[in-house]
């Protein structure tokens, strides 16, 4: 096994989830590429590593690191690098070089014990010498803690965050309850805390460990979309995670409830009521109160806006006005559409749902025009930039993302950037009517933020397709609102004549009803190519994107979107993106590129943001390169193009919709992935001129009706399915949907009394 001492010159790639890192390591005169799992390291850090050399088929010889630990700088080069790194304010690279040239390996001792001697160096006054000494003394404690934390495999930025959180208290924390790290320090989850605790000698059945494990399982459940877990499922998952029996776990859930970190609710479902059985639902406290707060705010908004209801003469007048609006637009609304307009006039909350081609946009346009005649202020919004853009194009009125409507803003607090919405209960939206589209995409967090900014007396109209996939984030807000039975719900079902001309629309409704769809290629906008060989599918996919579809739908090749149910496998996102990148944006000497993970980012690549980042800044530049707009936040599913890769500044610039440009430091590229192909789930709220879906084989839980319906409805002009006729049929018949444990509907039912004839489905 090789043992080397040196410093980290450059981090090539880092996976923030598991710590897997590829880095350039300088040992003496030699530069080595090292790979391994490092909890946290920084460029410039001095360390000792041990491992074996391996030959990578693409990147050549690498040192696979088995063990490592950070070391204090002890040679002149390392000391100079430390002082010149910015760690000590007022010392730059050139001054650091002069200090070390003067004092050599004795530099640290001189600074700590004889700081006045620093004034012997040109450029350092006695005052500055004292300031440097004070900083070194202040950092002495931190360096001691850094060395202490290295025993637990913690170093660099993570150790700095721990020190900033606890200071000198960290010694007590590590001795008594290392699991506090998972709750208090950003970047440390249960698994890292558990590893640290194990090294600290904490027993497997420690109360601290079990409690931390319960909270971790609830947070993991939230990432799957759940708001709570039934107690039996929670205990089963915790027992598996912790390697303990369920009886050891159960008492700690009750203790967490006493500490108000979880909420336990005794509940009955309809099936349980028939069997006279009971179940306990366990929530992370924040999620329980989010649902409760939403129910309370919905209660306050759910008021009839005509006291005592409409008089017959008033209702007749409204029908007449709706008829005039139809005549002016040259349209004819059906009965349900007219009823939706009426309900939006007389209620504080209205839900409008229906599939493609059923007239949601026409109905919304009529509602907008009615309220505009009343002189009301109307705000339109949608969860994503693409959905907001579609809404603007369809209505002719400006629509914003919900985040921009609520004025997402950033603030610096104690050096840490935080994000908040400027519009809230203290600074509400000044609107008479707020219309939100694509509500199926809205999770519980965003819904709560929206409701906080809506004043009682404002009409809130929410539109969406109940048959779309639920939100990526926790909750299933639209479905729970409808299932509560407490709000007017108008479900549009009739397919209008112009929509009937589109087989995309007709087939989407057939899929939703569980009916087989014709795959005979007699359609003008819905095609099926029976292919059983994966390599043949690749070939036809590339041919369709580069040659066939762009002129057919009058769009660029980057506007053609490949949608697939899965991430892994021959027809999963990860494999398809590598293949499509090779043919759609091949290597070119004029295009800068940056290796990352198992692939590469290249100027011109189509990419997608994979997680919500509320702190990241974007700006819009004029043609002269002058910023004309700026803001905060790029969100899960936002798509863009790589415009620049700067190896000197270690940054990649991505331009998203609406010309928003974001600079990503290389260490933050784990938030970005190639997007020539994306999962159907990530395509929610988007519309593409043409969609290609490779459907050959896959897990039953993914290859279902709901997913096929969502993928088909993403296409505006053309759908092409490549693969198996049998698989398409099986997806249509497969009604499996991942159950989400949410209870907003129940919180609403507890808060709002039922009203007769509130649901018009």
């Amino acid at each position: 096994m090789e043992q080397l001492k040196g410093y980290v010159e450059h981090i090539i790639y880092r996976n923030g989830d598991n710590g897997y890192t590829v880095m350039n390591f300088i040992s003496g005169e030699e530069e080595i590429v090292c790979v391994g799992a490092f909890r946290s390291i920084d460029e410039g850090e001095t360390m000792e590593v041990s491992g074996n050399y391996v030959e990578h088929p693409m990147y050549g010889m690498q040192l696979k690191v088995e063990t490592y630990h950070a070391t204090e700088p002890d040679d002149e080069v390392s000391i100079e690098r430390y002082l010149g790194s910015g760690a000590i304010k007022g010392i730059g690279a050139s001054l650091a070089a002069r200090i070390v040239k003067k004092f050599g390996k004795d530099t640290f001792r001189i600074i700590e014990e004889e700081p006045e001697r620093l004034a012997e160096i040109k450029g350092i006054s006695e005052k500055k010498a004292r300031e440097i000494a004070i900083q070194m003394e202040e950092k002495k404690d931190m360096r001691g803690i850094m060395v202490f934390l290295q025993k637990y495999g913690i170093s660099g930025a993570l150790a700095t965050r721990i020190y900033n959180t606890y200071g000198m208290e960290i010694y007590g924390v590590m001795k008594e309850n290392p699991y506090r790290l998972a709750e208090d320090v950003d970047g440390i989850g249960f698994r890292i805390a558990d590893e640290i605790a194990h090294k600290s000698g904490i027993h497997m059945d420690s109360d601290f460990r079990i409690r931390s494990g319960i909270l971790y399982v609830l947070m993991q459940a939230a990432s799957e979309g759940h708001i709570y877990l039934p107690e039996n499922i929670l205990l089963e998952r915790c027992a598996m995670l912790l390697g303990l029996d369920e009886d050891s776990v159960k008492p700690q859930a009750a203790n967490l409830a006493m500490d108000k970190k979880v909420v336990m609710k005794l509940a009955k479902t309809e099936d349980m009521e028939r069997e006279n059985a009971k179940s306990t639902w366990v929530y992370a406290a924040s999620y329980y109160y989010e649902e409760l707060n939403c129910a309370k705010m919905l209660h306050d908004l759910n008021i009839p806006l005509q006291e005592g209801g409409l008089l017959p003469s008033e209702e007749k007048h409204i029908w007449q006005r709706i008829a005039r609006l139809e005549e002016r637009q040259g349209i004819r609304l059906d009965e349900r559409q007219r009823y939706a307009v009426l309900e939006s006039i007389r209620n504080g909350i209205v839900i409008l749902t229906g599939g493609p081609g059923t007239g949601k946009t026409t109905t919304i346009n009529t509602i907008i025009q009615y309220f505009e005649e009343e002189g009301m202020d109307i705000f339109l919004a949608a969860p994503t930039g693409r959905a907001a853009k579609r809404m603007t194009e369809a209505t002719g009125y400006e629509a914003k993302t919900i985040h921009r409507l609520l004025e997402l803003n950033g603030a610096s607090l104690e050096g840490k950037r935080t994000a908040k919405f400027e519009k809230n209960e203290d600074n509400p939206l000044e609107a008479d009517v707020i219309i939100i589209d694509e509500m199926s995409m809205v999770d519980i967090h965003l819904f709560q933020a929206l409701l906080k900014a809506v004043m009682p007396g404002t009409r809130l109209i929410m539109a969406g397709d109940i048959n779309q996939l639920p939100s990526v984030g926790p909750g299933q807000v639209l479905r729970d609102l409808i299932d509560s039975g407490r709000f007017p719900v108008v479900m549009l079902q009739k397919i209008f004549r112009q929509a009937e001309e589109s087989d995309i629309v007709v087939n989407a409704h057939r899929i939703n009803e569980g009916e087989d769809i014709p795959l005979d290629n007699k359609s003008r906008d819905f095609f099926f190519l029976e292919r059983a060989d994966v390599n043949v599918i690749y070939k036809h996919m590339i041919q369709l994107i580069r040659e066939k579809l762009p002129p057919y739908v009058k769009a660029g090749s980057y506007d053609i979107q490949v949608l697939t149910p899965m991430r892994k496998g021959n027809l999963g996102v990860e494999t398809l993106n590598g293949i499509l990148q090779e043919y759609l944006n091949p290597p070119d000497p004029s295009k800068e590129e940056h290796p990352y993970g198992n692939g590469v980012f290249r100027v011109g690549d189509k990419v997608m943001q994979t997680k919500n980042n509320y702190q990241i800044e974007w700006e819009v530049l004029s043609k002269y390169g002058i910023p004309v707009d700026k803001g905060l936040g790029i969100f899960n599913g936002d798509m863009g193009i790589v415009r620049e890769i700067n190896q000197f500044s270690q940054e990649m610039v991505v331009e998203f919709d609406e010309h928003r440009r974001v600079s990503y430091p290389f260490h933050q590229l784990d938030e970005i992935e190639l997007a020539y192909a994306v999962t159907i789930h990530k395509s929610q709220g988007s519309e593409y001129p043409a969609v290609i879906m490779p459907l050959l084989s896959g897990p039953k839980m993914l290859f279902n009706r709901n997913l096929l319906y969502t993928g088909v409805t993403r296409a505006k002009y053309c759908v092409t399915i490549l693969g198996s006729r049998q698989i398409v049929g099986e997806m249509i018949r497969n009604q499996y949907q991942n159950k989400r444990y949410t209870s907003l509907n129940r919180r609403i039912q507890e808060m709002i009394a039922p009203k007769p004839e509130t649901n018009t489905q």
Side-chain angles (χ1 to χ4, degrees):
M1 183 176 285
E2 293 286 335
Q3 291 185 320
L4 301 172
K5 184 176 180 180
Y7 69 95
V8 181
E9 185 210 29
H10 170 53
I11 294 175
I12 300 170
Y13 166 74
R14 179 166 178 78
N15 184 314
D17 293 329
N18 58 23
Y20 178 78
T21 303
V22 181
M23 65 180 181
N24 287 339
F25 188 74
I26 305 297
S27 179
E29 300 296 319
E30 192 177 3
E31 179 178 325
I32 305 117
V33 175
C34 291
V35 299
F38 298 86
R39 283 300 176 204
S40 182
I41 57 170
D42 291 326
E43 291 178 356
E45 205 166 306
T46 307
M47 58 198 304
E48 291 182 2
V49 299
S50 300
N52 295 303
Y53 283 103
V54 294
E55 181 76 26
H56 190 282
M58 184 178 298
Y59 300 115
M61 193 64 72
Q62 300 176 336
L63 182 70
K64 187 176 181 181
V65 176
E66 301 293 337
T67 62
Y68 74 98
H69 68 274
T71 59
E72 283 209 37
D74 57 2
D75 61 88
E76 293 181 14
V77 173
S78 299
I79 293 169
E80 180 182 330
R81 190 184 312 110
Y82 173 78
L83 290 176
S85 69
I88 305 298
K89 189 177 178 182
I91 301 182
S94 60
L95 186 54
R98 295 203 300 275
I99 293 172
V100 175
K101 184 177 181 181
K102 172 77 174 174
F103 300 115
K105 293 183 179 180
D106 212 22
T107 296
F108 280 170
R109 188 195 66 78
I110 293 291
I111 294 174
E112 291 176 5
E113 299 177 10
E114 304 176 68
E116 67 279 359
R117 290 191 59 190
L118 290 174
E120 298 173 15
I121 296 169
K122 185 178 179 181
I124 300 181
S125 63
E126 289 187 9
K127 180 182 178 183
K128 187 167 185 176
R130 286 194 297 272
E131 289 173 351
I132 292 170
I134 290 169
Q135 286 189 68
M136 286 292 288
E137 183 62 32
E138 289 174 346
K139 291 182 178 293
K140 192 174 184 179
D141 288 340
M142 183 174 179
R143 289 204 306 276
I145 286 175
M146 292 291 192
V147 172
F148 169 72
L149 291 175
Q150 285 168 18
K151 293 188 295 183
Y152 303 98
I154 308 167
S155 60
L158 200 55
T160 302
R161 288 202 293 273
I162 293 172
Y163 175 78
N164 290 339
T165 302
Y166 298 113
M168 300 303 289
E169 293 179 19
I170 185 58
Y171 296 105
V173 170
M174 296 295 285
K175 182 180 179 181
E176 295 168 12
N177 179 17
Y179 292 98
R180 280 181 59 187
L181 298 173
E183 296 181 43
D184 299 339
V185 182
D186 186 35
I188 296 185
F190 171 78
R191 293 190 183 279
I192 296 177
D194 198 35
E195 187 178 311
I196 293 167
H198 177 70
K199 292 178 180 177
S200 300
I202 302 293
H203 294 298
M204 278 188 67
D205 59 354
S206 157
D207 292 352
F208 295 131
R209 181 171 186 260
I210 296 172
R211 292 184 195 186
S212 184
I214 291 169
L215 294 174
Y216 172 77
V217 167
L218 289 173
M219 289 302 105
Q220 287 296 105
S223 71
E224 298 167 20
H226 304 302
I227 297 294
Y228 70 89
L229 283 178
E231 186 179 34
N232 63 315
I233 295 177
L234 173 69
L235 295 178
E236 182 184 327
R237 290 190 181 189
C238 286
M240 188 176 297
L241 171 74
L242 299 169
L244 300 171
D245 59 74
E246 294 182 17
D247 290 338
S248 301
V249 176
K250 190 171 183 177
Q252 296 307 325
N255 289 336
L256 283 170
M258 290 177 65
D259 291 342
K260 299 184 177 179
K261 291 187 176 179
V262 305
V263 173
M264 303 179 75
K265 291 283 288 184
L266 197 62
K268 280 190 175 185
T269 66
E270 291 179 6
D271 290 338
M272 289 176 177
E273 285 170 1
R274 284 194 292 271
E275 300 171 10
N276 197 28
K278 296 178 181 178
S279 171
T280 299
W281 295 349
V282 186
Y283 302 74
S286 60
Y287 285 87
Y288 174 79
Y289 288 109
E290 275 190 298
E291 282 196 338
L292 194 64
N293 290 341
C294 286
K296 174 64 171 64
M297 291 184 285
L298 287 165
H299 170 274
D300 295 342
L301 292 171
N302 187 43
I303 54 177
L305 299 179
Q306 311 297 98
E307 282 299 328
L310 292 171
L311 296 172
S313 59
E314 291 174 320
E315 190 166 319
K316 181 181 178 182
H317 176 65
I318 291 171
W319 289 126
Q320 290 172 343
R321 287 185 58 184
I322 293 172
R324 286 200 299 272
L325 288 172
E326 289 180 61
E327 187 177 347
R328 186 194 306 164
Q329 296 178 85
I331 59 170
R332 184 170 179 78
L333 302 178
D334 73 3
E335 183 181 349
R336 285 175 180 262
Q337 290 176 301
R338 293 192 193 99
Y339 193 73
V341 180
L342 177 66
E343 289 289 71
S344 70
I345 294 164
R346 62 185 182 186
N347 290 285
I349 295 175
V350 172
I351 299 163
L352 179 65
T353 184
T358 56
K360 286 198 304 292
T361 299
T362 304
T363 306
I364 289 171
N365 280 336
T366 307
I367 291 170
I368 291 170
Q369 291 189 35
Y370 185 96
F371 288 128
E372 195 173 47
E373 283 189 355
E374 296 281 298
M376 292 185 174
D377 291 322
I378 307 164
F379 290 169
L380 309 183
T384 67
R386 283 175 172 258
K389 184 178 179 182
R390 285 172 55 199
M391 197 178 186
T392 299
E393 292 169 350
T395 64
Y397 294 81
E398 182 190 10
K400 299 179 179 179
T401 64
I402 298 174
H403 293 90
R404 291 202 78 177
L405 181 72
L406 299 179
E407 297 180 11
L408 179 67
N409 204 349
S412 184
L413 183 63
E414 297 180 354
K416 183 178 179 181
R417 186 166 206 101
T418 59
K420 64 175 184 176
F421 292 113
E422 294 295 327
K423 293 297 182 181
N424 50 43
E425 59 269 46
D426 299 320
N427 180 29
L429 293 163
E430 296 180 5
D432 300 302
V433 182
I434 297 173
I435 304 175
I436 308 295
D437 198 9
E438 296 287 359
M439 271 298 298
S440 62
M441 297 180 64
V442 175
D443 64 26
I444 194 68
H445 304 317
L446 189 56
F447 192 51
Q448 178 180 237
L450 172 67
L451 292 179
K452 282 182 177 180
V454 181
M455 288 186 294
T458 303
R459 290 173 171 85
L460 179 60
I461 300 163
M462 295 172 281
D465 186 345
I466 190 63
N467 295 305
Q468 296 284 0
L469 292 167
S471 58
V472 175
Q476 47 184 1
V477 171
L478 179 62
R479 183 172 293 279
D480 278 353
L481 288 173
I482 293 172
D483 289 349
S484 73
R486 297 299 193 259
F487 310 109
V489 177
V490 182
M491 183 170 285
L492 304 178
Q493 295 175 317
K494 177 184 175 183
I495 304 176
F496 285 85
R497 185 179 304 166
Q498 63 271 28
E500 286 178 347
E501 297 175 5
S502 166
D503 286 316
I504 295 173
V505 171
V506 173
N507 286 341
H509 284 271
R510 284 175 174 155
I511 291 167
N512 195 40
E513 295 297 323
E515 300 174 10
D516 285 330
I517 55 177
L519 300 174
D520 53 15
N521 290 328
K522 293 180 180 178
S523 169
R524 290 181 299 173
D525 61 6
F526 201 104
F527 303 101
F528 173 76
L529 303 178
E530 179 104 37
R531 301 292 184 268
D533 187 314
V534 169
N535 290 313
V536 174
I537 290 177
Y538 295 155
K539 176 186 172 184
H540 286 293
M541 192 182 296
I542 292 161
Q543 191 177 34
L544 285 165
I545 295 171
R546 291 204 304 193
E547 302 167 19
K548 303 292 186 183
L549 288 175
Y552 190 72
V553 297
K554 297 180 175 59
S557 60
Y558 272 29
D559 297 319
I560 314 301
Q561 188 61 54
V562 175
L563 301 181
T564 177
M566 51 200 176
R567 292 195 59 83
K568 304 290 184 181
N570 290 331
L571 294 175
V573 163
E574 294 173 6
T575 300
L576 287 175
N577 271 319
I579 292 168
L580 293 172
Q581 181 193 43
E582 184 180 345
Y583 286 92
L584 300 178
N585 189 31
D588 187 298
S590 67
K591 292 181 178 179
E592 191 70 46
E593 58 182 49
H594 177 68
Y596 196 78
N598 294 322
V600 65
F601 286 119
R602 186 174 296 127
V603 170
D605 273 336
K606 184 178 178 181
V607 295
M608 172 184 279
Q609 176 81 7
T610 60
K611 60 180 75 171
N612 288 339
N613 187 330
Y614 294 91
Q615 285 83 31
I616 200 164
E617 295 179 337
W618 53 261
E619 63 181 9
V620 178
L621 303 180
S622 71
K623 63 180 180 179
Y624 303 108
I626 300 170
V628 294
D629 192 12
K630 64 180 180 179
L632 209 63
I634 296 294
F635 305 103
N636 194 348
D638 284 355
M639 295 177 73
I641 303 292
V642 176
R643 295 301 186 197
E644 298 173 24
I645 294 176
N646 190 322
Q647 298 293 352
F648 178 76
S649 65
Q650 302 281 288
E651 288 183 324
M652 185 170 87
V653 177
V654 178
E655 183 176 323
F656 290 94
D657 293 334
E658 300 173 323
H659 307 292
R660 296 171 298 156
R661 294 169 70 94
V662 175
S663 293
Y664 289 87
F666 283 172
H667 66 78
Q668 204 173 334
L669 292 181
D670 59 338
E671 296 187 9
I672 291 289
E673 67 181 19
L674 295 175
Y676 299 100
V678 303
T679 61
I680 294 172
H681 214 136
K682 283 287 179 75
S683 72
Q684 283 177 278
S686 296
E687 184 179 68
Y688 311 99
V691 160
I692 299 171
M693 285 195 289
L695 302 173
L696 196 56
S697 64
K700 184 177 179 181
M701 62 184 295
L702 288 179
F703 278 59
N704 59 47
R705 181 188 300 176
N706 198 209
L707 210 73
L708 180 61
Y709 173 83
T710 300
V712 166
T713 55
R714 298 306 90 205
K716 188 172 184 179
Y717 301 120
C718 183
V719 169
T720 305
I721 296 175
L722 290 162
S724 163
R725 186 183 305 270
Q726 180 182 341
I727 288 295
V728 174
E730 289 176 1
M731 289 182 76
I732 292 171
R733 290 185 288 278
N734 179 13
Q735 296 188 62
Y736 175 87
Q737 289 187 44
N738 282 326
K739 177 174 174 57
R740 286 202 171 190
Y741 294 110
T742 67
S743 53
L744 178 60
N745 55 340
R746 288 175 176 265
R747 300 290 84 82
I748 292 169
Q749 289 165 350
E750 293 166 357
M751 195 75 63
I752 303 174
K755 296 178 183 178
E757 299 179 9
T758 56
N759 194 309
T760 61
Q761 295 183 60

